[in-house]
Amino acid sequence: MNHRTPAAVPAATPDAARRNLLTDHPELYELRFPDPGFTAARWAESMLREHGAGPDVLDLGCGTGRDAGWLHRVAGRNVTGLDSSPAMIAHARARHPGPAYHVGDMRDLALPGRFDAVLCLDSALLYCHTNADLDALFDRLRRRLRPGGLLVAEMRNGAFFLGRTELLDAPRLDSITHEGVTHTSRTVLRIDHAAQLLRRTRSWSSDDGAPPVEQHSAWRLLFPQELRHLLAHHGFGVLALHDRPGPRTEPPWTDGDRPADTADGDRLHLVARLDSPDRKRH
């Protein structure tokens, strides 16, 4: 379940491999992954409130702007949204106005100002595929966050795939209908063990005669202790790290839920605080 967009696509990737029906058509994204109760945004706000975050929030990989718009409109946050997809940002500005939206790469963070908190929801963090990507991102976050600032993230859990194959065993078929056209997807996941990536191939067909679209994407698989180590290396202390409940768990998070003391489910939820932006890395 992903309404977020990769940080960037390598320039050498062929155009056909970069095509993504949902990213290119954000209205389909919101149909395919509905969140009528704004559960993801409400969960994020509950984390920000619980840990005393200030008002200025950066939403990395903001996608369609649904979460950023709610945090601005309902929670009263000063939100900046960043996403690599121009189509997503155009949709966010038109449909979820209020936040300042920018097109860009999360590893560069070429934005003015500093923030009290950074959100990185729906596995957006895991589009940093390499250790160098992750180091670049956390280094930028350390520089962009104010002292004591928060990182709130929600992502796939690498530990879930230790001994489990149920998400890998068979293709998943899904359909959505928009303006009289039905789009059907066939999704296959596999693990690239050497790169520590979960790779996805998603093929779309439509009943209007349009040519099929095949999309390739991947997420870095991070393990809980690996994540703790990376964060500590960049000056972050982990305040919470658990598998459930969250906006994409079953059952999903609801107001007042307390986290389980486990980390073996397929989602991982993180809250970390920046100890000091000038802390010397060890």
Side-chain angles (χ1 to χ4, degrees), residues 137-244:
L137 174 62
F138 289 135
D139 181 67
R140 300 301 190 277
L141 293 184
R142 194 176 75 252
R143 298 173 189 275
R144 290 299 182 189
L145 278 169
R146 296 185 177 113
L150 294 180
L151 169 62
V152 177
E154 180 265 337
M155 68 197 89
R156 291 180 179 271
N157 180 12
F160 174 80
F161 294 94
L162 294 174
R164 293 187 178 95
T165 64
E166 55 259 44
L167 297 182
L168 311 172
D169 289 339
R172 173 171 173 169
L173 299 178
D174 294 287
S175 294
I176 50 174
T177 300
H178 179 61
E179 296 181 347
V181 178
T182 297
H183 307 272
T184 300
S185 66
R186 182 181 186 273
T187 302
V188 177
L189 299 174
R190 69 177 180 87
I191 294 180
D192 180 338
H193 292 86
Q196 206 170 309
L197 295 175
L198 179 67
R199 296 194 180 275
R200 180 182 71 188
T201 300
R202 177 173 284 163
S203 305
W204 286 96
S205 59
S206 305
D207 64 2
D208 63 350
V213 175
E214 183 171 283
Q215 179 230 344
H216 300 270
S217 54
W219 298 270
R220 173 67 179 264
L221 291 179
L222 290 172
F223 299 94
Q225 292 304 314
E226 179 185 20
L227 185 56
R228 287 182 183 275
H229 178 76
L230 279 166
L231 289 164
H233 182 68
H234 289 278
F236 288 86
V238 172
L239 304 177
L241 186 62
H242 58 89
D243 57 357
R244 58 185 184 271

Side-chain angles (χ1 to χ4, degrees), residues 4 41 59 62 65-73 79 81 96 99 101:
R4 305 272 158 167
D59 185 2
C62 66
R66 184 167 54 192
D67 302 332
W70 186 95
L71 288 166
H72 170 87
R73 183 181 69 256
V79 184
H96 304 287
Y101 292 110

Side-chain angles (χ1 to χ4, degrees), residues 40-69:
R42 290 190 297 105
W43 174 83
E45 173 61 17
S46 74
M47 297 298 102
L48 296 173
R49 246 190 352 259
E50 179 176 345
H51 296 283
D56 298 325
V57 175
L58 172 61
D59 185 2
L60 285 183
C62 66
T64 66
R66 184 167 54 192
D67 302 332

